[in-house]
């Protein structure tokens, strides 16, 4: 898994009725974009995460001029 600051980390719900949790990556603490990541959750809390198989990185779109 590779991520950059500003990307979104999506943790998919693991049971029926559980919604996906989306957070923004604030800091990449591993080498070369690898975990762990410091993230800000939708409710404003910050956490350090080591994403598991239920997670996906959504890369932010780079501006084109």
């Amino acid at each position: 898994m590779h991520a950059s600051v500003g990307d979104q980390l999506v943790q998919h719900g693991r049971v029926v009725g559980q919604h996906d949790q989306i957070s923004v990556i604030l800091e990449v603490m591993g080498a070369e974009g690898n975990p762990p990541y410091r993230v800000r959750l939708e409710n404003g809390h910050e956490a350090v995460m080591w994403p598991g198989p239920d997670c996906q990185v959504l890369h932010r779109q780079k501006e084109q001029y």
Side-chain angles (χ1 to χ4, degrees):
M1 183 171 287
H2 177 82
S4 301
V5 172
D7 290 347
Q8 290 184 329
L9 182 64
V10 179
Q11 183 178 11
H12 298 288
R14 291 179 269 173
V15 295
V16 174
Q18 185 180 29
H19 298 285
D20 293 350
Q21 179 176 320
I22 301 172
S23 55
V24 176
I25 296 175
L26 303 175
E27 179 183 2
V28 177
M29 302 169 74
E32 300 178 10
N34 292 312
Y37 306 124
R38 182 177 311 280
V39 299
R40 179 174 296 126
L41 304 170
E42 292 176 306
N43 64 7
H45 287 101
E46 292 184 11
V48 175
M49 293 185 67
W50 284 263
D54 59 342
C55 292
Q56 173 185 12
V57 173
L58 299 178
H59 300 285
R60 66 179 169 174
Q61 298 294 322
K62 297 187 179 180
E63 294 182 22
Q64 295 180 355
Y65 295 98

